[in-house]
Amino acid sequence: MIVSAKPHHTGHPGYSETLPGLEESAETARRLVRTALAAWGLDGLTDTAILLVSELVANAVKHTNSRVIRVIVTRPSERFVRIGVVDKARVMPEFVKPGDDLLTSGRGLLLVDALAERWGTDLYRWGKQVWAEVMSEPAE
């Protein structure tokens, strides 16, 4: 019997890639996000999603000593696209309060908070995933 696979718009599989824990990995992460959004017909989310993945990668690279990171793009439901970055550190990301010196650094999670519908951190025994979700269609 021949079985043909059809791409699903939600659930697994999503898109993911393991990358070096380097600043240069942000470009590959942005490419992965563009690919996923194009496959799902959600090109209108590209600018926001690219900025989100850039900030999440930058935070993982700057604040952990992970040699590798994993970028994951999924659609947990029809309404949301989730972008996550997994690293090997169990240190929770720090949210800098407005008013602190934000001229040179510390704005990453503020941007994530402002752009994402919701975001959070999932802790694992060996590390964590920091994720952000954007709405792919308005709530009805």
Side-chain angles (χ1 to χ4, degrees), residues 68-113:
V68 296
I69 58 173
R70 185 152 187 87
V71 177
I72 302 168
V73 186
T74 59
R75 279 195 78 190
S77 71
E78 286 288 329
R79 291 184 55 210
F80 293 101
V81 172
R82 178 178 281 205
I83 300 160
V85 175
V86 178
D87 61 59
K88 302 250 178 176
R90 288 185 45 86
V91 177
M92 296 292 285
E94 265 189 62
F95 191 75
V96 178
K97 296 179 181 87
D100 290 347
D101 182 17
L102 299 177
L103 294 177
T104 57
S105 67
R107 297 171 292 210
L109 288 179
L110 285 173
L111 284 171
V112 170
D113 189 59

Side-chain angles (χ1 to χ4, degrees), residues 46-84:
T46 301
D47 291 341
T48 299
I50 292 296
L51 186 50
L52 286 169
V53 77
S54 297
E55 292 301 330
L56 293 174
V57 168
N59 282 346
V61 169
K62 183 176 181 179
H63 299 293
T64 74
N65 58 358
S66 293
R67 290 185 23 208
V68 296
I69 58 173
R70 185 152 187 87
V71 177
I72 302 168
V73 186
T74 59
R75 279 195 78 190
S77 71
E78 286 288 329
R79 291 184 55 210
F80 293 101
V81 172
R82 178 178 281 205
I83 300 160

Side-chain angles (χ1 to χ4, degrees), residues 113-131:
D113 189 59
L115 294 172
E117 185 68 24
R118 56 189 178 195
W119 69 277
T121 304
D122 296 334
L123 281 177
Y124 306 120
R125 213 176 61 249
W126 45 264
K128 69 178 174 304
Q129 177 179 181
V130 181
W131 53 267

